[in-house]
Amino acid sequence: MANKPSIPKGTRDFGPQEMLRRKYIFNTIEKVFQQYGYLPLETPAMEHLETLTGKYGEEGDRLIFKVLKRGAELERAMQDGGKSLAAEALRYDLTVPFARYVVQHQNELAFPFKRYQIQPVWRADRPQKGRYREFYQCDADVIGSTSLLNEVELVQLFDEVFLQLGLGVVIKLNDRKVLSGIAEISGQPDKVVDIVTAIDKLDKIGREKVEEEMRVKGVSDEAIARIAPLFALKGAWKEQRPQLEQWLASSTIAQQGLKDLAFVFEAAGQLKSAVLEFDPTLARGLDYYTGAIFEVKAAEGTLQSSICGGGRYDDLTGVFGLKGMSGVGISFGADRIYDVLLETGKFPAELRSSTRLLFANFGEAEALQCLKLVRAVREAGIAAELYPDKAKMARQFKYADDKDIPFVAIVGENELKQGIVTLKDMKSGEQRAVKEDELVATIRS
RNA sequence: GUGGAUGUAGCUCAGUUGGUUAGAGCGCCGGAUUGUGGUUCCGGAGGUCGCCGGUUCAAGCCCGGUCUUCCACCCCA
């Protein structure tokens, strides 16, 4: 019974220092979302199970955390053969709940509807580094517009966020239509998923294993041979484009995809800090992406997996009864961004606490005087606190040191008599007498 | 979901072929310094060796199970 307390697999506590850093990430992303005109949305942690199932593929369904029925309902379900023990489930991502929300509230929304959502999601995956069972997604989506300007805007949004976070990244771009075109050219358009999930692994396992995997999945040697030009692509987008146009000439869908990509590359223009790259092997989220596909990887640090994803999905709301609504969105993986920023030392140094001034406590009379000063300082917009107990100076200074508080105000018997404050700069160690009414101005300088 | 590693003080890790009171560094607490932290010196506290069971005269060490973390696959933020 007296076992050490613990938390479930793949979940984490976030201590104060960690939270200050996490909030820095969330705040940065949120600020940029708002700057780009996205509106906030929150949806419940739980959805009806049927809202979620079937939206993420077979693999996805397996990873949905189901919520057990309770009481008499559970009894009945168990007697019924235990087939439907759950009617609800924790959200798996933010996109499907968003689609559900849009359908439910379609008459109240102004389209194109741009929303952002920053909430945790849950997946019953086996945890690994950078992979958790509970983690935060920061999504921005536009629904009700087919314009490629949205894709352009999202690329610029990625760029802006990582510029502000000071992290070098590569934004990878592809288009589902190009992938469909490749399958079409191969002569086995019915094998798109198998072909595409195989070439998605190219940079990881190499050409030979990719071809082997396709063969295993039933792609003919002839089709594999027709895909070969993919491996011969050279250069960046500008050089790759003519090669792709030639190779995929007979596929109208591929040509459309290439045209769309060209528009995005051109309109996005020169990015501020991120690198925008075409990656024909990028194939995530096949279960609903239909146009653009995005992925962001850190250009620094050792985390190889992606830190953001996204793409366009035509008709995501269709399954909920609203047809013809195209949407495009992106998702920031805050937890992975945290890991990368920590590893690369990109967090601002002054994130340890918000307090700028600590009043030392010398006893009741002094403390009561400090209480007035604390109030005045706070009202002037400076975060300040009064040490609550009359403790040794060493303890109080150590407290300031631990919390990285830059200034300590000393108000003892002497100061009290003279109506002054001894202000110590914790970094330099210097201290000087300051009149009570000059305290705010001195800290500000 | 498949396969494989890992777990010793708050943290990072030692711990010999199984053998008496399980160690170090850092951190923490106290003192040198009753109005001064971050440096120095001295002292101290802190562990049912992840958990449960088994083998043995004897288990941190061997065996089984379980949980955690991590790695590969799968998939993905």
Side-chain angles (χ1 to χ4, degrees):
Chain A
M1 200 203 82
N3 276 343
K4 281 179 194 166
S6 63
I7 55 175
K9 187 201 301 214
T11 64
R12 295 149 303 153
D13 287 322
F14 303 111
Q17 192 179 345
E18 225 170 339
M19 275 311 296
L20 287 169
R21 290 174 165 159
R22 287 175 65 84
K23 286 203 168 257
Y24 161 74
I25 295 172
F26 291 135
N27 291 344
T28 302
I29 292 171
E30 183 169 24
K31 210 173 63 204
V32 177
F33 281 168
Q34 290 179 342
Q35 202 173 8
Y36 276 66
Y38 292 77
L39 296 168
L41 176 74
E42 285 203 8
T43 63
M46 280 184 282
E47 293 278 350
H48 291 308
L49 183 56
E50 59 180 56
T51 302
L52 304 181
T53 45
K55 310 299 188 301
Y56 310 106
E58 218 175 292
E59 185 73 15
D61 281 356
R62 213 189 66 210
L63 299 177
I64 293 171
F65 264 110
K66 294 175 183 170
V67 177
L68 202 61
K69 285 180 182 172
R70 282 120 353 238
E73 241 186 298
L74 178 63
E75 298 286 324
R76 239 176 290 133
M78 289 194 338
Q79 278 161 19
D80 216 36
K83 273 183 189 156
S84 57
L85 298 175
E88 289 140 11
L90 296 176
R91 76 168 95 78
Y92 177 90
D93 72 354
L94 303 178
T95 309
V96 168
F98 168 57
R100 191 224 80 222
Y101 173 85
V102 169
V103 173
Q104 246 181 284
H105 297 267
Q106 49 186 290
N107 296 323
E108 307 152 34
L109 302 175
F111 291 99
F113 180 54
K114 297 169 71 165
R115 84 86 175 77
Y116 74 84
Q117 191 169 353
I118 299 176
Q119 289 189 277
V121 302
W122 295 269
R123 294 184 189 178
D125 214 347
R126 198 183 277 208
Q128 268 181 43
K129 198 190 193 73
R131 172 186 275 192
Y132 309 99
R133 291 185 140 188
E134 178 184 61
F135 62 96
Y136 273 73
Q137 288 193 332
C138 312
D139 278 28
D141 291 79
V142 190
I143 192 158
S145 166
T146 55
S147 170
L148 289 168
L149 289 174
N150 297 301
E151 274 83 340
V152 174
E153 179 175 276
L154 291 171
V155 167
Q156 289 173 340
L157 197 158
F158 272 138
D159 186 37
E160 182 64 34
V161 166
F162 288 108
L163 172 75
Q164 290 192 20
L165 292 175
L167 183 70
V169 295
V170 177
I171 303 169
K172 296 187 172 198
L173 186 61
N174 193 10
D175 195 297
R176 174 61 201 264
K177 297 190 286 296
V178 172
L179 295 169
S180 300
I182 291 173
E184 200 175 295
I185 291 292
S186 78
Q188 292 190 276
D190 55 309
K191 291 278 180 192
V192 217
V193 174
D194 291 325
I195 291 171
V196 153
T197 49
I199 64 177
D200 187 40
K201 295 172 192 158
L202 181 62
D203 58 343
K204 214 169 178 182
I205 62 176
R207 178 179 174 173
E208 277 176 30
K209 294 213 166 151
V210 167
E211 293 183 333
E212 190 188 314
E213 182 170 324
M214 287 194 278
R215 215 167 284 128
V216 169
K217 291 274 169 67
V219 180
S220 71
D221 286 342
E222 203 187 347
I224 291 170
R226 290 204 185 109
I227 292 168
L230 176 74
F231 306 113
L233 285 176
K234 290 217 169 58
W237 166 247
K238 275 189 181 155
E239 291 81 47
Q240 287 174 331
R241 189 184 172 188
Q243 301 170 53
L244 287 155
E245 277 172 345
Q246 198 182 356
W247 170 36
L248 303 171
S250 63
S251 165
T252 47
I253 190 161
Q255 293 302 322
Q256 186 58 49
L258 291 171
K259 213 175 124 193
D260 289 356
L261 283 166
F263 179 84
V264 176
F265 270 98
E266 195 154 323
Q270 186 63 47
L271 296 183
K272 293 176 181 174
S273 85
V275 173
L276 182 62
E277 221 171 62
F278 171 63
D279 183 352
T281 68
L282 182 63
R284 62 192 33 264
L286 275 164
D287 287 286
Y288 47 71
Y289 290 143
T290 52
I293 303 172
F294 303 108
E295 178 176 280
V296 177
K297 283 188 173 179
E300 309 169 62
T302 54
L303 188 73
Q304 285 306 301
S305 43
S306 57
I307 56 177
C308 303
R312 178 172 287 276
Y313 35 86
D314 289 333
D315 207 33
L316 181 72
T317 56
V319 289
F320 299 122
L322 179 61
K323 301 278 179 200
M325 273 284 183
S326 184
V328 58
I330 55 173
S331 179
F332 290 80
D335 304 80
R336 288 186 179 175
I337 293 170
Y338 177 95
D339 290 346
V340 174
L341 292 182
L342 191 67
E343 188 195 342
T344 56
K346 300 277 181 174
F347 280 111
E350 68 282 1
L351 276 180
R352 298 213 40 215
S353 80
S354 50
T355 307
R356 299 220 61 221
L357 174 63
L358 174 75
F359 284 85
N361 188 324
F362 279 80
E364 195 176 310
E366 292 89 341
L368 285 173
Q369 176 59 19
C370 287
L371 208 53
K372 291 180 197 154
L373 296 174
V374 162
R375 184 171 180 175
V377 169
R378 284 176 178 156
E379 270 165 14
I382 293 167
E385 57 183 305
L386 166 63
Y387 196 87
D389 304 298
K390 183 192 174 187
K392 283 184 173 174
M393 280 293 89
R395 163 148 294 284
Q396 302 196 39
F397 276 102
K398 187 164 162 30
Y399 176 80
D401 205 38
D402 287 345
K403 284 184 79 172
D404 256 11
I405 297 171
F407 295 100
V408 174
I410 300 156
V411 182
E413 208 182 330
N414 300 337
E415 286 87 354
L416 201 59
K417 275 185 211 151
Q418 299 173 49
I420 57 160
V421 171
T422 300
L423 186 67
K424 174 160 176 161
D425 180 328
M426 292 297 282
K427 204 165 181 182
S428 66
E430 284 168 24
Q431 54 187 59
R432 57 171 161 153
V434 178
K435 284 185 189 156
E436 286 183 356
D437 53 6
E438 288 170 358
L439 195 52
V440 168
T442 312
I443 301 245
R444 282 212 178 114
S445 62

